[in-house]
Amino acid sequence: MKKILIANRGAAAARILRAVKALGLQSVAVYSEADADLPYVGQADESVCIGPAPARDSYLNQDALLDAMARCGADALHPGYGFLSENAQFARRVESAGHCFIGPSPKWIDALGNKAAARALMQRHGLPAGGSTAILPRDDLEAVCRAAEALGFPVLIKPAGGGGGIGMVPVEDVRSLPGSWERASGMAEKAFGDASLYLERFIQAPRHIEFQFLADRYGNVLSLFERDCSTQRRYQKVIEEAPAPAIDRKAVAAMADRLSAILGEIGYDVIGTVEMLYTPDGGFSFLEVNTRLQVEHAISEAVTGVDIVQAQIRLAAGETLASVAGKRPALRGHAIEARVYAEDPVRFLPSPGVLKTFDLPGARPGLRVETGYAAGNRVSSHYDPMVAKIIAHADTREGATRALIEALGDTRVEGIKTNIPMILQVLKSERFQAGAMTVDGLQALISTEATKERA
């Protein structure tokens, strides 16, 4: 592996570029016409325009990406997260063209990247999971309604071919199902190029706990502990932390060991995250496997000292887990990440526009900032609205929280609105500081504060 094409954009592309450079490899950045001025495009060894702004014509355009690889002589492709990162057909096309796809083998993207198939596989290996359906016909709404009624309302519509909370829609009753189904299908098609959907029984007020794994192609699996991603708005993660607070460490360790054993038994490889729902009464329940790098990987890097992106590249190239990461590291302190979105912090509507001012916190011990933007760049309405990730790491959770609050206070963004006021509200809340956030907790917190302001 000598030259890697980075098939992504924004913070993902900038982060992967840094890992590629650290490994002494050549880099190729691809970009849409809307992203031509983003800083990492000029920082790569080569850059290639792959089409106009809409994702379907650029970052989801498989032919354009494969053509770019052929033109620049890249021998590997890193898909990042989102877009085509969990598309098994694309991974196979990359490999058929003689290149390395830097991710799990396509068979695992097929078996686990498809959320409905993953649930069936993990249940066969004894993991508890809530009720769900197989992939349902897109245009047979009668079949969809029958499946929902058999499962029992409320239900959650979920895309089979993607993650990140995109396309997930809760449904309370059969009357609202057809409209929600069409809306979810359209979102999944736009984001992942795959409109396939399934239904899942809706669990009230769970915590979202996910386990990070690395694996080589020789049957070895390494757990890099867990992350708590319960602070979400409409199933989009906003704040993540590692390790999970206010939860029994023995129970978490036992689940990590169990998942490691299952992944080892089936021969899973390279990188993956097993997402679980957790309630104090019901324990852990399997949710899905993300067969890719996660947005929130940085907090796991902070508490383990393992560079997950470099490890992913080396494992995909065939190196052993022992040479890449060694034995399981010990936990080092606590890390919290905030996702800064270009959105109105009150109405939560997208806020695209030019970054007239974009002053992020400067370098300091325990603080890390990830972004694909600089002042003067335009935040496009065509893509995910995340403009930066700010990660704080300290010896204690309280110290990490204070450091993140200080860093967000030092952030200055003009030209667009951001969700920073809302993030600060959450970090300072009693509920967050008690480690008691659930996936519905952010909306409840926002509603409570809004009621106080009106009073």
Side-chain angles (χ1 to χ4, degrees):
M1 192 183 296
K2 297 179 180 178
K3 184 184 289 189
I4 296 177
L5 183 140
I6 303 166
N8 216 288
R9 65 174 303 278
R15 171 67 184 96
I16 297 164
L17 176 62
R18 191 167 74 248
V20 171
K21 287 180 176 292
L23 290 170
L25 303 172
Q26 292 182 289
S27 58
V28 181
V30 297
Y31 61 94
S32 72
E33 293 171 359
D35 288 342
D37 294 332
L38 297 187
Y40 60 85
V41 173
Q43 294 164 2
D45 295 308
E46 298 177 49
S47 58
V48 180
C49 182
I50 52 171
R56 66 178 178 274
D57 299 323
S58 50
Y59 299 104
L60 289 172
N61 187 333
Q62 298 185 25
D63 291 337
L65 290 165
L66 290 167
D67 180 65
M69 290 196 77
R71 280 192 287 152
C72 68
D75 48 19
L77 178 144
H78 197 306
Y81 41 76
F83 296 128
L84 294 168
S85 61
E86 293 183 285
N87 188 302
Q89 177 201 39
F90 178 61
R92 288 194 177 94
R93 290 188 67 185
V94 171
E95 293 188 350
S96 295
H99 312 304
C100 175
F101 181 82
I102 302 175
S105 300
K107 69 176 182 179
W108 294 124
I109 301 176
D110 253 342
L112 296 171
N114 182 293
K115 311 308 179 188
R119 290 174 70 86
L121 176 62
M122 289 301 195
Q123 283 178 305
R124 289 198 297 272
H125 281 267
L127 271 189
S132 65
T133 69
I135 294 175
L136 294 167
R138 180 178 183 179
D139 299 321
D140 190 347
L141 289 176
E142 289 187 5
V144 173
C145 290
R146 287 195 301 270
E149 289 176 331
L151 198 59
F153 287 96
V155 298
L156 189 63
I157 301 173
K158 298 188 70 174
I166 300 170
M168 291 172 56
V169 180
V171 182
E172 292 291 334
D173 53 55
V174 72
R175 293 188 304 275
S176 55
L177 184 57
S180 297
W181 186 263
E182 290 298 321
R183 187 166 73 255
S185 179
M187 288 190 286
E189 175 73 33
K190 181 179 179 182
F192 312 116
D194 181 358
S196 303
L197 302 172
Y198 69 100
L199 297 175
E200 188 177 279
R201 184 175 293 121
F202 187 81
I203 299 176
Q204 301 287 345
R207 290 175 66 178
H208 182 128
I209 310 294
E210 62 186 31
F211 296 80
Q212 175 72 64
F213 295 95
L214 295 173
D216 60 24
R217 301 195 191 277
Y218 313 102
N220 303 300
V221 178
L222 176 67
S223 166
L224 293 180
F225 302 102
E226 83 287 351
R227 299 182 287 256
D228 188 327
C229 305
S230 301
T231 306
Q232 305 176 11
R233 194 186 72 81
R234 296 180 180 174
Y235 305 105
Q236 286 279 92
K237 299 169 185 174
V238 179
I239 299 171
E240 304 102 346
E241 56 184 310
I247 189 170
D248 182 61
R249 293 306 308 166
K250 290 183 179 179
V252 173
M255 180 53 65
D257 290 343
R258 186 175 180 184
L259 294 172
S260 294
I262 293 173
L263 294 178
E265 287 171 10
I266 66 177
Y268 188 81
D269 57 18
V270 183
I271 193 169
T273 301
V274 182
E275 301 198 347
M276 311 285 284
L277 296 180
Y278 175 83
T279 60
D281 295 333
F284 287 102
S285 176
F286 176 76
L287 184 61
E288 63 189 38
V289 178
N290 285 307
T291 56
R292 55 171 169 81
L293 181 71
Q294 293 278 95
V295 176
E296 57 273 20
H297 71 275
I299 53 175
S300 294
E301 293 181 325
V303 298
T304 63
V306 175
D307 189 307
I308 291 174
V309 184
Q310 289 189 42
Q312 179 185 5
I313 294 170
R314 294 173 62 187
L315 291 167
E319 291 192 45
T320 66
L321 193 56
S323 66
V324 169
K327 62 182 180 180
R328 189 184 190 190
L331 273 172
R332 309 186 313 177
H334 200 94
I336 308 177
E337 172 181 285
R339 301 190 190 192
V340 179
Y341 289 122
E343 64 181 16
D344 186 303
V346 177
R347 296 183 298 163
F348 300 106
L349 296 175
S351 181
V354 175
L355 292 165
K356 296 178 181 178
T357 300
F358 195 55
D359 291 337
L360 299 174
R364 65 188 75 167
L367 189 70
R368 174 171 163 183
V369 177
E370 300 280 358
T371 184
Y373 292 94
N377 291 151
R378 175 174 290 278
V379 179
S380 172
S381 61
H382 289 283
Y383 313 115
D384 182 275
M386 189 175 72
V387 295
K389 299 182 294 180
I390 300 178
I391 303 101
H393 177 226
D395 292 337
T396 64
R397 184 173 186 262
E398 293 76 13
T401 303
R402 286 195 302 271
L404 185 55
I405 289 172
E406 180 180 343
L408 289 166
D410 291 342
T411 300
R412 297 287 179 268
V413 182
E414 296 177 355
I416 63 168
K417 296 180 181 179
T418 75
N419 64 335
I420 289 177
M422 182 268 288
I423 295 173
L424 288 170
Q425 175 187 328
V426 174
L427 292 173
K428 295 174 183 179
S429 71
E430 292 182 5
R431 187 167 187 173
F432 180 86
Q433 294 189 6
M437 295 296 291
T438 57
V439 295
D440 62 339
L442 176 55
Q443 191 59 49
L445 181 62
I446 293 170
S447 299
T448 299
E449 292 301 318
T451 301
K452 289 180 180 178
E453 288 182 9
R454 285 195 296 269

